[in-house]
Amino acid sequence: MFNWKVRILPSDEDSFEYKATFSLSERFGQGPFSEHQVLEPKYLYGQGDLAVFLEDLGAGSGAIGVLLDELNDRPNAEITVEIGDEALELLWAGQSRPF
C-alpha cells in the first residue's frame, strides 16, 4: 500500500471551496523520495464535504481535525492517507490517464 499525499487547495472552480490533489511518494533506488501527481483533482463544496471525503478515503478523525484547523489559518494544507483498494477504485473511476 502506498502513502498518498492529499493537498487541499483553494478551488479554481466558482462553485467549490476546495480542490484536493493526489500524489504518491516513492523512493527510486538509493536516491531521494520523488513525488508525482497521479489522479485528477477532486472538487469539494466546504469543510463538511471535505471531512466526509477524507474519512471515506481512510483518514482518521484526529488527522482530519488538524487539517481543518490548518485550513482556518491558511489557504492550503495537506494530509497523508493510506487509501484502500475500494476507495482507490472510486477515485480512479473516470480518470483520463493511467497510473
Side-chain angles (χ1 to χ4, degrees):
M1 191 175 271
F2 289 95
N3 285 324
W4 291 77
K5 185 176 289 184
V6 182
R7 283 195 177 92
I8 308 302
L9 307 163
S11 177
D12 50 6
E13 298 284 332
D14 291 338
S15 301
F16 301 97
E17 185 174 357
Y18 298 111
K19 171 175 68 172
T21 62
F22 303 85
S23 58
L24 283 173
S25 295
E26 298 181 78
R27 184 182 293 274
F28 296 103
Q30 298 299 326
F33 282 96
S34 173
E35 188 174 299
H36 57 279
Q37 184 173 328
V38 293
L39 294 171
E40 294 174 4
K42 298 292 182 185
Y43 291 90
L44 304 150
Y45 292 106
Q47 286 195 357
D49 190 28
L50 174 60
V52 170
F53 177 72
L54 292 173
E55 186 176 52
D56 288 347
L57 293 181
S61 59
I64 293 170
V66 169
L67 179 114
L68 295 176
D69 286 343
E70 290 176 358
L71 288 172
N72 288 330
D73 296 332
R74 59 182 190 218
N76 56 56
E78 60 187 43
I79 187 171
T80 302
V81 181
E82 286 188 17
I83 299 175
D85 291 341
E86 186 176 313
L88 185 57
E89 286 181 27
L90 293 173
L91 285 172
W92 201 258
Q95 294 292 305
S96 60
R97 54 191 161 135
F99 201 99

